[in-house]
Amino acid sequence: MDLGSILTNPKYHDLFSIIKGFRNGMVYGARIRFPHALVMQFLFGSGTLEQKIQRIIEATVQHSKNLAFFVTIYKTLMVLQRRIKGREDSADSFIAGLIGGYMVFGEDNNINQQPHAFPIFAAVVWGIVMWQFRYERDVLQGSLQASMQFLYNDSEVFSNLGNWLWRNR
């Protein structure tokens, strides 16, 4: 059996979509955080050039890890709930977002400084946002919808190694 037929085998779809979700989280985290950290460090940061570059890299890596782990936890919990019950219920996305939000955004690091002060609040907010994305998408701001599309829905689409690992579609 070649890799292409394994990737397209419905038996493995959930696993490969979780892995692609992790990949999309890493890619999107870097794509968003790097330019932001770059501008913020050179406009407002202090220290040597080396220190600024180090802080840019640290922020980019941390943001990428946060998104990758959140997407992985969320997608894994969605799959587990669906497999246990044999169906998806409306509350599943809230529960997966709540647990993922608490696990990822409850951690104290430079990217999570504001949410960490209120980890339960951050968890509830992420539970609500994930439910809204799944069932009331139009209430979310357009760029958030596009980001979440890339992270959660586009990770479900792949037909070969190229669009599973290298490019998104």
Side-chain angles (χ1 to χ4, degrees):
M1 194 180 273
D2 69 330
L3 185 57
S5 60
I6 294 171
L7 277 172
T8 58
N9 186 333
K11 181 176 163 181
Y12 305 115
H13 180 80
D14 290 338
L15 173 63
F16 287 126
S17 71
I18 291 168
I19 294 168
K20 186 174 179 183
F22 179 88
R23 173 249 183 229
N24 283 8
M26 291 297 288
V27 167
Y28 197 77
R31 187 188 308 166
I32 295 304
R33 180 54 66 168
F34 178 77
H36 177 264
L38 182 73
V39 168
M40 296 304 287
Q41 278 303 308
F42 285 103
L43 286 180
F44 305 110
S46 61
T48 66
L49 178 61
E50 184 178 318
Q51 291 169 325
K52 289 179 180 183
I53 291 170
Q54 183 62 37
R55 286 192 297 266
I56 291 166
I57 291 168
E58 287 171 0
T60 301
V61 168
Q62 186 62 56
H63 193 232
S64 293
K65 284 175 27 182
N66 283 2
L67 281 178
F69 288 132
F70 182 82
V71 172
T72 301
I73 292 166
Y74 174 81
K75 289 180 75 67
T76 300
L77 290 174
M78 290 297 289
V79 167
L80 288 174
Q81 291 176 100
R82 186 178 70 243
R83 288 192 175 190
I84 289 168
K85 297 183 295 188
R87 68 185 187 286
E88 181 180 318
D89 292 326
S90 176
D92 293 351
S93 57
F94 174 78
I95 292 166
L98 177 87
I99 293 169
Y102 186 79
M103 291 175 70
V104 173
F105 300 109
E107 180 185 336
D108 188 14
N109 60 52
N110 289 337
I111 302 300
N112 296 346
Q113 285 176 338
Q114 291 121 353
H116 183 71
F118 308 100
I120 300 297
F121 179 73
V124 171
V125 166
W126 275 107
I128 293 168
V129 168
M130 295 314 296
W131 182 88
Q132 287 177 320
F133 178 67
R134 196 87 168 168
Y135 296 102
E136 298 288 338
R137 187 178 182 157
D138 292 342
V139 302
L140 299 173
Q141 196 266 346
S143 66
L144 180 58
Q145 289 180 40
S147 300
M148 295 176 83
Q149 173 69 36
F150 179 81
L151 294 169
Y152 307 102
N153 293 353
D154 290 355
S155 60
E156 297 286 329
V157 180
F158 47 87
S159 58
N160 57 54
L161 187 60
N163 63 18
W164 177 65
L165 189 59
W166 309 121
R167 62 186 184 285
N168 200 45
R169 286 193 170 242

